[in-house]
Amino acid sequence: MRVLGIETSCDETGVAVFDSDRGLLAHCLHSQVAMHAEYGGVVPELASRDHIKKALPLIRRVLQEAACPVETIDGVAYTAGPGLLGALLVGGCVARSLAFAWGVPAVGVHHMEAHLLAPMLEPERPVFPFVALLVSGGHTQLVLVEGIGAYRILGESLDDAAGEAFDKVAKMLGLGYPGGPQLAALAADGVPGRIDFPRPMTNRPGLDFSFSGLKTAAANALRGLQQAGGVIAPQCKADIAHGFQQAVIDTLLIKCRRALQSTGLTQLVLAGGVSANRELRERLRDEAQARGWRVFYPRAEFCTDNGAMVAFAGCQRLLAGQHDDLAVRAQARWPIDTLEPVA
Ligand code: KG4
Ligand code: ZN
């Protein structure tokens, strides 16, 4: 089965063609980062308008690169949520219309399920059941994955998502949008141990997270290091970035360890934008080696939003005979544990 996948849930237009026999045939992405940068964050209306401009040219390009005549496409998958409603509607309308015109089924995909399954695009794939740590701009969740669509949330953030905390602290440090990758780069220049942050919610049992207190800790550290005139030395900023990143990574690691211990499982999937963080990937790899776990993550370009994960996730559901009716589905909020399992 050959599936065109379309991702438009936030600030990236991603398109890909996945073939269940031959794997990923082509993928391309347009990032809106430069457009939103001057506002310091995503402007939803601008995001929707840009998806409208970019979707069809990208689809044409990806079909050409995949050398796929449209007659060979067996289904169209699109991100139906969670995400920005206007942005979701653009991808949904384009996908639903193309599927109707081509006489093939369309399926609305859950964005976090697509992230969760992205490691399956790699040669080394996890086998069900496993634990997934989903860390993106909007979500931080530990999920017990028993099969496609069979998800139990073991723990999640009670306030800010990990990516959101990265972005907010980056903003405080005067870094551009999106802050996560820039904060990670700055952290590399920080001196370990100079600034210490708490590891929230690790001194009590449970698998939930809370990252909003780290913002306050970062603001306090910044205030404490301010020189006359409010100036902060670049090295101090790097030290704060380092301390903050270490606190987030330690916290995530402690909860992953607990989740694997409590489920008795040894496979861990790491996915979502923050899984692109090199330090997090390396720390998890070391921990896995020491404890006999196996860790799976997508290649860096498929950690953040992309069309390949949507094409793959949609293909699994279409292969199982699931598809939508003629309506366009768009759900800004959509809990992952309400999805229909794939038999
Ligand atoms: O999955 P994603 O592309 O979009 C959502 O579904 O939210 O995740 C974006 C988030 C942003 O908060 C971004 O700052 C963060 O992932 N991110 C990172 C890194 N790369 C992206 N955070 C930390 N380190 C990175 N290298
Ligand atoms: Zn995402």
Side-chain angles (χ1 to χ4, degrees):
M1 172 174 287
R2 191 171 286 179
V3 175
L4 173 71
I6 302 170
E7 154 64 34
T8 63
S9 68
C10 189
D11 57 349
E12 244 108 36
T13 320
V15 181
V17 178
F18 179 80
D19 183 299
S20 53
D21 293 325
R22 292 172 49 204
L24 190 63
L25 299 184
H27 63 97
C28 58
L29 185 86
H30 171 75
S31 168
Q32 303 176 353
V33 160
M35 182 181 77
H36 297 296
E38 66 175 294
Y39 304 98
V42 179
V43 183
E45 178 61 21
L46 295 184
S48 310
R49 290 187 210 173
D50 201 59
H51 287 308
I52 292 174
K53 282 194 225 148
K54 298 298 180 339
L56 284 175
L58 284 180
I59 290 168
R60 263 189 221 109
R61 198 174 106 196
V62 94
L63 289 173
Q64 201 171 26
E65 280 176 19
C68 285
V70 295
E71 303 78 51
T72 67
I73 298 290
D74 301 305
V76 183
Y78 62 95
T79 305
L84 302 173
L85 200 56
L88 291 168
L89 279 168
V90 175
C93 288
V94 170
R96 188 54 272 185
S97 310
L98 287 176
F100 183 72
W102 295 342
V104 297
V107 66
V109 167
H110 189 288
H111 182 77
M112 297 313 292
E113 172 174 78
H115 273 304
L116 191 159
L117 299 176
M120 296 197 171
L121 287 160
E122 306 305 328
E124 285 217 13
R125 303 165 53 146
V127 179
F128 301 114
F130 54 81
V131 170
L133 173 66
L134 304 179
V135 269
S136 71
H139 293 79
T140 303
Q141 293 179 320
L142 271 164
V143 183
L144 171 61
V145 182
E146 282 169 328
I148 296 177
Y151 309 127
R152 190 152 68 81
I153 296 173
L154 302 171
E156 61 188 330
S157 181
L158 305 178
D159 40 55
D160 291 354
E164 192 180 355
F166 263 95
D167 293 339
K168 287 177 177 169
V169 171
K171 206 170 196 173
M172 279 182 214
L173 294 172
L175 304 173
Y177 158 85
Q182 297 193 37
L183 188 145
L186 183 64
D189 299 329
V191 177
R194 266 211 191 139
I195 312 256
D196 203 23
F197 284 88
R199 274 58 177 159
M201 295 186 68
T202 54
N203 58 0
R204 60 178 114 154
L207 296 169
D208 286 334
F209 304 90
S210 165
F211 291 111
S212 75
L214 289 179
K215 272 178 326 199
T216 318
N220 290 341
L222 260 173
R223 218 170 298 123
L225 292 167
Q226 260 171 15
Q227 299 160 351
V231 179
I232 297 161
Q235 185 59 48
C236 293
K237 287 191 181 180
D239 293 340
I240 292 175
H242 187 277
F244 167 81
Q245 179 172 262
Q246 287 307 110
V248 174
I249 292 175
D250 279 350
T251 306
L252 294 174
L253 272 170
I254 291 167
K255 300 282 168 146
C256 286
R257 200 182 300 146
R258 273 188 206 168
L260 289 172
Q261 272 163 359
S262 66
T263 54
L265 298 174
T266 54
Q267 295 177 97
L268 180 71
V269 154
L270 176 66
V274 181
S275 67
N277 186 283
R278 250 211 351 247
E279 185 75 14
L280 173 62
R281 290 161 83 100
E282 284 171 11
R283 290 278 308 281
L284 259 178
R285 199 183 331 131
D286 293 348
E287 179 97 4
Q289 238 163 27
R291 292 178 181 268
W293 309 337
R294 294 189 70 200
V295 182
F296 302 86
Y297 21 61
R299 72 193 82 160
E301 65 182 320
F302 295 160
C303 288
T304 43
D305 293 349
N306 64 86
M309 65 182 193
V310 176
F312 178 81
C315 185
Q316 307 314 305
R317 290 197 173 268
L318 290 167
L319 278 172
Q322 294 183 10
H323 60 82
D324 295 344
D325 57 20
L326 288 179
V328 173
R329 280 178 73 184
Q331 282 175 251
R333 290 180 181 276
W334 186 6
I336 196 169
D337 53 357
T338 61
L339 293 184
E340 196 181 331
V342 168

